[in-house]
Amino acid sequence: MKIISCIEELRAHLQGQLRTAFVPTMGNLHEGHLSLMRLARKHGDPVVASIFVNRLQFGPNEDFDKYPRTFQADVEKLEKEGVYILFAPTEKDLYPEPQEYRVQPPDDLGNILEGEFRPGFFTGVTTVVLKLFSCVQPRVAVFGKKDYQQLMIVRNMAKQFALPTEIIAAETWRAEDGLALSSRNGYLSEAERAEAPALFRQLNIVADEVRNGHLDVFELERKAMADLAARGWKPDYISIRKQSNLQPPSAGDMAQGEKLVVVAAAKLGKTRLIDNLEI
C-alpha cells in the first residue's frame, strides 16, 4: 500500500484510473470502516482510503484535539484489506491557505437534527468531501448509513454539482449487543459501554410502534426521549423522519406507509452517540 500526503503525487499515481473506489475516513479505524473498504472493492478498483481529521467540522467546544489518532494501527488494518493507496494529507497539504470557500448545504437539510446541535458541522463535512473528491476523482465513494444525514447531504451534493462520483451507502456495522461501531465508543467507560446498546433498543421500540400502527409521532418521540433520560442519558433528539428528505412525516404520510427512519443523538456521560434505524 502506498501512503501519500501530497495532492500532486496522489493524482500522478491515479492518472488514467477510471474505476477508483474511495472511502474517506478520519482514522481510528474499526470493523465498520473496514467493511466500507470491502464494499468499495465490489464497486471499483483500485481502492483508495483517506485519513484526515477535518478541523472544519469540529465546533469550538468539540473534541478535535482529543479525537483518537491511531495512524500506525490504521495502516496495518488497511494493508490487510488490500487498499492500494492511503491518502493521508496534513492540514498544510489539504488546506495550504485558509479554506475561505465553503460548501453550504440547504438549510432544510443542513440545519436540522445534527445541524441544529452542531452548527456549521455539515458545511465542514461537505467542504472537505468535495475537496477530497477533487483530489482522488473517484468513480464511486462509500459512506456508512450510521451517519444517515451526512450520507444524504453528500449524495445530494454530488447530484447537484453533477460530480462523476456515485455515492454508495453501506449498512451500519454493529457489535453483537447492537451498538453501532464508532470511533467515539472508545470514550465510554466500562459501565457506559454496557449501557450504550440501550440507544439502539430504543430505536427498535419506536420502529415497532410505528409498524404496529401508532401514528402519533410526537408522542413516540417524547416517550423515547423520556425513557432514555430516565436511564441517565441526555438525549438531543429522537426523531421520526421521512427517508426521502429527513422532513417530519405528516399524518397522511404515516397512513400511506411512507418510508421512514428514526434518528437519534444522545449523550451518555461525556460521550455523544448517534444512531438510526430505517422503518
Side-chain angles (χ1 to χ4, degrees):
M1 182 176 74
K2 297 179 178 66
I3 301 175
I4 297 173
S5 61
C6 171
I7 295 173
E8 289 73 18
E9 184 183 351
L10 175 73
R11 287 176 172 163
H13 274 283
L14 292 174
Q15 189 172 7
Q17 297 285 0
L18 301 178
R19 299 184 62 248
T20 300
F22 179 43
V23 184
T25 83
M26 293 207 301
N28 193 30
L29 304 182
H30 50 66
E31 191 60 31
H33 292 111
L34 302 183
S35 72
L36 304 184
M37 309 298 163
R38 295 170 205 141
L39 182 59
R41 179 164 290 103
K42 293 180 180 179
H43 290 273
D45 182 63
V47 174
V48 176
S50 68
I51 293 177
F52 182 71
V53 183
N54 177 41
R55 188 185 297 271
L56 296 187
Q57 68 195 65
F58 286 79
N61 299 314
E62 294 184 334
D63 53 0
F64 176 79
D65 292 324
K66 295 180 182 177
Y67 193 85
R69 291 159 171 84
T70 54
F71 188 76
Q72 194 52 48
D74 294 344
V75 167
E76 293 172 6
K77 291 173 182 176
L78 293 175
E79 285 179 332
K80 288 179 181 177
E81 294 298 330
V83 170
Y84 175 59
I85 289 176
L86 169 58
F87 181 45
T90 66
E91 285 194 288
K92 287 186 178 180
D93 289 314
L94 205 59
Y95 302 132
E97 57 187 68
Q99 188 67 35
E100 294 169 340
Y101 287 82
R102 306 285 180 99
V103 180
Q104 181 68 46
D107 289 348
D108 61 354
L109 186 56
N111 289 346
I112 61 172
L113 302 169
E114 282 298 281
E116 178 182 348
F117 286 91
R118 301 182 68 187
F121 171 68
F122 287 119
T123 296
V125 168
T126 49
T127 299
V128 76
V129 168
L130 185 61
K131 194 156 193 179
L132 288 168
F133 282 2
S134 175
C135 297
V136 178
Q137 299 181 21
R139 189 187 71 82
V140 300
V142 180
F143 289 80
K145 279 189 179 181
K146 185 181 80 71
D147 298 289
Y148 204 89
Q149 189 175 4
Q150 172 179 282
L151 168 65
M152 181 174 290
I153 286 173
V154 168
R155 179 171 275 160
N156 288 356
M157 177 187 74
K159 179 182 176 183
Q160 289 200 7
F161 280 116
L163 301 180
T165 302
E166 179 186 358
I167 308 301
I168 305 293
E171 296 297 329
T172 301
W173 196 275
R174 299 185 181 277
E176 289 186 6
D177 58 10
L179 178 63
L181 295 195
S182 168
S183 297
R184 289 187 168 90
N185 291 351
Y187 298 152
L188 298 169
S189 69
E190 186 175 344
E192 289 167 348
R193 174 61 186 83
E195 168 63 21
L199 181 60
F200 187 53
R201 291 198 298 270
Q202 198 65 56
L203 297 186
N204 276 280
I205 291 170
V206 173
D208 287 343
E209 289 283 351
V210 172
R211 294 187 188 106
N212 290 332
H214 193 139
L215 301 182
D216 189 336
V217 169
F218 298 109
E219 172 60 21
L220 290 175
E221 294 172 347
R222 185 203 61 77
K223 184 177 186 305
M225 291 182 68
D227 288 349
L228 264 191
R231 300 180 65 97
W233 294 68
K234 295 179 180 177
D236 284 342
Y237 60 83
I238 297 178
S239 189
I240 299 166
R241 299 295 174 114
K242 295 191 284 186
Q243 288 185 26
S244 60
N245 57 12
L246 287 186
Q247 296 303 305
S250 66
D253 292 329
M254 299 286 284
Q256 292 167 18
E258 173 88 23
K259 288 185 177 181
L260 304 172
V261 60
V262 53
V263 291
K267 275 189 176 180
L268 182 57
K270 295 182 179 180
T271 305
R272 189 173 183 273
L273 300 178
I274 66 170
D275 205 348
N276 65 80
L277 181 63
E278 292 179 326
I279 306 174

